[in-house]
Structure formats: structure tokens, C-alpha cells
């Protein structure tokens, strides 16, 4: 059920299966991952799982998750298959009933951070509540976030842009833990032509070997872009990827380019995607307003992100958010995808 990168769509699919299997209709769906468990362990304390010799803590969670269910057993204990995720959550959930007031505040703060970081997603069935969560960016929706325009900015002069990267590990392994990525998004503006964008994603797979549960990261990568975007070129380590290896589709009213990128252990792959956007800046009274949204995918860490805007000499940058002192002809933002 968890294939669609738009989480409300995935949630409805999961609820359909639950309805058929258990004949019950859920009120909504929550998605959480090991980043959530790690934060809960920080707030609620360590957990001793049955049949294990060492307690599970926020510090050792990810290492232990790599070897689960082959966890170290207590001396003399019979071999057991331990579902580390469910067992830990059940213990932490029971602990909530005994929580004191100060730790309730810490828990609320932690949950807010996890929602902002897209590690915890909530999609209720109730449409009014769903709209509220979407407005906060907490539902994992693919719908682009809406900006509040500055005063005296004509709505017709606003060019709203976004780029959404969605990864899916098809390798049936746990190589995600060892993957680091660096994203560089370049945008070129022209006076009487559409905008041209180039996105460079550099992957490194630090897996120690090719033996399960680690190994090659078989990443089916999808770029969700403004409807009408056209692919100019796709490179992998500076080698052209033929168009026949790229899946083209329209999904959620967005243009989608999908393809497989395999990153073997201890190796790096650099992907370069160049595409033309469906439009150009619209100047009203000699002013235009441009916004860019780069959503974070749930389950990823704080990936570095660089955004570079290249402008022709007859454009002048009036202001940016966050503030930047633009070098003539370019504006660069050095940030990350913590949120």
C-alpha cells in the first residue's frame, strides 16, 4: 500500500486493506519510522526487550535495527525472532500511562519536531481535520505549500515552483541507513523563454559489504515537477541515460520522471537532471515574485541542499527570504532538508 508518495493517497489505500481484512473502518492513518522511535526513547527512556542482554536506547537503536531480528540474546536464552519496531512501540505506549507532567511537555515538543521533519505523518479521514493538517504540512501531501505573498505583490506576478524527490528502495535490504545524499538545484532565468532547471543529486553508499542486510541501494527515483515540465537531459556520472530508461507520467496533477539508480557499497553516483519549466516570470509594473518549495521525504535525514539562481544582467534582485546579499547575476542559498 505504501507506494504513492502522496501520503493521504497511501493512507486511503492502507485503510482499504484494513477494511477488507478486519471489517473495520479506521479514523485515519499514522506513519512513523525509526527516527520517531529514537525520539521517543530519548523522552521516555530505554527499553529492555525480551530475550536480549542489552537495553535498547536512542544511541544504539539504529545499529540494533540493522541486525534485527538477529539480536544478541541473553546467556542461555532460546533463539527468538524479535520484531524490534513493534515490541519497542508497545513498551513505550504502555509507559505513556505513567508519564509525569514535565515529560508530557517534552513529548509534545518532540512530536511537533517529528511532524515538521516529516518523520511522523498523519492523515485523518475527517476532511476538516485533514485540511488543517495539510495547511501545517503534517500530512505528507504532495500538494505544494502555498506562500503568503508580501504586501503589494500582484498574484499574477507570482511564479510558484516546486521540486519533489521520492525514493523507493527496491533492493529488499537495509542499505538506506548507509546512504548519504547531497542535492544541488540550479535555476536559470531568461527574459523571453521558460525557466531551465538542473538538479544534481550525489549519492554515497557507505554499506560495509554487499552481504544482506546491507548491500546495493537499488533506488527507484521519481521527480515530481510542475505539470508541463519537459526533460532536457539525464546524466548518471556524466553518462547520458537513454530516454527509453525513463518512465514519464502525470500523477497528482504533476509531471513525473522515474528511473532506477543503483549505488553499490562504498561507491558514489551523481545524477544530473535538466528540465524546462512550463512558464516564465511574469512582470507586472517591472516586478515579479518567485517561490520554490522543496519538500522533504519521510525517512530521510538532514540532507544538504544548495539552491542557485542565475539571473540575466537586466534583472535586479529586490529582496529574498531568507535574506541574501545577491552577487550580480546569481543568488545562492545554502541550507538543508531538516524540514
Amino acid at each position: 500500500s505504501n507506494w504513492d508518495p502522496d501520503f493521504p493517497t497511501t493512507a486511503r489505500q492502507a485503510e482499504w486493506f484494513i477494511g477488507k481484512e478486519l471489517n473495520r473502518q479506521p479514523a485515519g492513518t499514522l506513519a512513523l519510522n525509526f527516527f520517531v522511535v529514537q525520539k521517543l526513547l530519548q523522552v521516555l527512556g530505554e527499553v529492555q526487550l525480551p530475550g536480549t542482554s542489552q537495553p535498547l536506547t536512542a544511541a544504539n537503536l539504529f545499529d540494533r535495527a540493522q541486525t534485527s531480528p538477529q539480536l544478541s540474546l541473553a546467556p542461555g536464552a532460546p533463539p527468538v525472532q524479535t520484531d524490534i519496531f513493534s515490541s519497542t512501540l508497545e513498551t513505550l505506549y504502555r509507559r505513556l500511562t505513567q508519564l509525569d507532567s514535565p515529560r508530557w511537555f517534552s513529548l509534545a515538543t518532540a512530536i511537533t519536531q517529528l511532524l515538521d521533519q516529516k518523520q511522523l505523518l498523519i492523515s485523518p479521514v475527517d476532511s476538516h481535520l485533514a485540511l488543517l493538517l495539510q495547511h501545517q504540512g503534517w500530512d505528507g501531501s504532495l500538494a505544494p505549500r502555498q506562500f503568503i505573498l508580501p504586501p503589494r505583490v500582484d498574484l499574477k506576478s507570482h511564479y510558484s515552483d516546486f521540486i519533489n524527490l521520492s525514493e523507493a528502495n527496491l533492493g529488499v535490504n537495509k542499505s538506506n541507513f548507509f546512504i548519504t545524499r547531497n542535492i544541488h538545484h540550479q535555476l536559470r532565468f531568461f527574459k523571453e523563454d521558460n525557466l531551465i532547471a538542473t538538479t544534481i543529486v550525489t549519492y554515497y553508499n557507505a554499506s560495509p559489504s554487499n552481504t544482506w542486510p546491507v548491500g546495493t541501494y537499488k533506488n527507484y527515483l521519481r521527480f515530481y515537477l510542475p505539470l508541463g515540465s519537459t526533460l532536457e537531459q539525464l546524466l548518471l556520472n556524466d553518462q547520458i541515460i537513454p530516454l527509453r530508461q525513463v518512465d514519464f507520467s502525470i500523477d497528482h496533477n504533476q509531471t513525473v520522471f522515474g528511473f532506477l539508480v543503483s549505488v553499490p557499497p562504498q561507491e558514489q553516483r551523481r545524477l544530473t537532471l535538466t528540465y524546462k519549466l512550463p512558464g516564465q516570470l511574469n512582470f507586472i509594473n517591472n516586478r515579479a515574485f518567485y517561490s520554490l518549495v522543496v519538500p522533504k521525504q519521510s525517512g530521510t535525514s538532514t540532507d544538504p541542499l544548495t539552491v542557485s539562481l542565475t539571473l540575466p544582467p537586466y534583472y535586479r534582485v529586490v529582496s529574498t527570504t531568507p535574506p541574501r546579499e545577491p552577487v550580480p547575476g546569481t543568488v545562492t542559498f545554502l541550507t538543508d532538508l531538516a524540514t
Side-chain angles (χ1 to χ4, degrees):
S1 64
N2 187 23
W3 178 252
D4 199 303
D6 180 73
F7 183 66
T9 302
T10 282
R12 303 294 84 80
Q13 183 67 67
E15 291 156 9
W16 182 88
F17 282 115
I18 290 292
K20 298 298 182 183
E21 182 74 16
L22 303 179
N23 196 29
R24 298 178 63 184
Q25 294 304 315
T29 301
L30 289 81
L32 57 158
N33 54 42
F34 275 108
F35 287 104
V36 177
V37 178
Q38 184 183 49
K39 184 67 73 172
L40 292 177
L41 286 168
Q42 289 175 356
V43 176
L44 302 178
E46 63 186 33
V47 168
Q48 185 70 56
L49 296 177
T52 61
S53 57
Q54 297 294 326
L56 192 67
T57 67
N60 66 20
L61 171 67
F62 284 97
D63 288 334
R64 294 278 288 273
Q66 292 306 304
T67 57
S68 173
Q70 292 81 26
L71 294 172
S72 58
L73 299 178
V80 291
Q81 294 259 319
T82 304
D83 179 357
I84 185 174
F85 193 84
S86 296
S87 300
T88 305
L89 278 179
E90 288 175 7
T91 302
L92 294 173
Y93 186 73
R94 288 194 299 269
R95 201 170 288 175
L96 288 175
T97 61
Q98 305 161 352
L99 210 58
D100 53 25
S101 297
R103 283 202 291 177
W104 270 116
F105 180 80
S106 298
L107 180 64
T109 303
I111 288 175
T112 303
Q113 292 173 349
L114 292 166
L115 288 166
D116 288 338
Q117 295 167 1
K118 296 293 199 312
Q119 309 301 6
L120 175 63
L121 304 175
I122 306 176
S123 181
V125 173
D126 181 89
S127 59
H128 297 291
L129 185 55
L131 192 61
L132 175 64
L133 290 167
Q134 179 182 333
H135 180 73
Q136 293 293 328
W138 291 347
D139 68 336
S141 170
L142 276 183
R145 298 288 300 277
Q146 298 299 316
F147 276 90
I148 299 176
L149 296 179
R152 299 184 300 278
V153 171
D154 193 313
L155 185 61
K156 296 178 181 178
S157 69
H158 178 209
Y159 192 103
S160 179
D161 190 11
F162 63 90
I163 175 170
N164 195 341
L165 279 66
S166 175
E167 300 181 20
N169 182 0
L170 305 186
V172 198
N173 61 22
K174 300 182 181 182
S175 59
N176 298 65
F177 175 71
F178 296 97
I179 298 299
T180 57
R181 62 186 65 72
N182 194 308
I183 305 171
H184 191 165
H185 185 67
Q186 304 168 341
L187 194 72
R188 287 173 284 164
F189 295 88
F190 302 94
K191 187 175 183 180
E192 295 179 352
D193 197 0
N194 290 17
L195 286 69
I196 301 291
T198 298
T199 303
I200 303 171
V201 187
T202 304
Y203 292 100
Y204 178 70
N205 184 356
S207 294
S209 70
N210 212 4
T211 304
W212 195 91
V214 296
T216 298
Y217 184 48
K218 297 181 180 180
N219 170 26
Y220 186 72
L221 177 61
R222 286 171 284 180
F223 281 79
Y224 280 74
L225 304 170
L227 185 64
S229 298
T230 55
L231 180 61
E232 299 279 297
Q233 190 179 59
L234 180 62
L235 304 175
L236 183 62
N237 285 0
D238 297 327
Q239 299 296 314
I240 295 177
I241 296 181
L243 293 183
R244 65 178 180 273
Q245 297 182 18
V246 181
D247 299 322
F248 298 89
S249 62
I250 295 176
D251 191 25
H252 298 288
N253 202 35
Q254 299 173 20
T255 293
V256 185
F257 305 142
F259 39 86
L260 187 66
V261 182
S262 292
V263 188
Q266 303 294 311
E267 292 191 24
Q268 177 178 287
R269 293 291 184 270
R270 184 178 65 257
L271 183 84
T272 306
L273 176 83
T274 301
Y275 61 96
K276 179 177 285 190
L277 285 155
Q280 52 190 271
L281 294 185
N282 182 31
F283 285 82
I284 297 178
N285 297 325
N286 291 323
R287 293 189 65 168
F289 185 84
Y290 171 84
S291 65
L292 173 67
V293 175
V294 186
K296 174 182 178 173
Q297 182 175 3
S298 180
T300 58
S301 189
T302 307
D303 298 321
L305 170 67
T306 302
V307 177
S308 299
L309 312 179
T310 303
L311 310 165
Y314 40 81
Y315 283 176
R316 181 172 66 88
V317 176
V318 177
S319 64
T320 68
T321 304
R324 287 289 182 274
E325 283 295 332
V327 177
T330 184
V331 181
T332 300
F333 299 88
L334 301 175
T335 180
D336 58 49
L337 287 178
T339 62

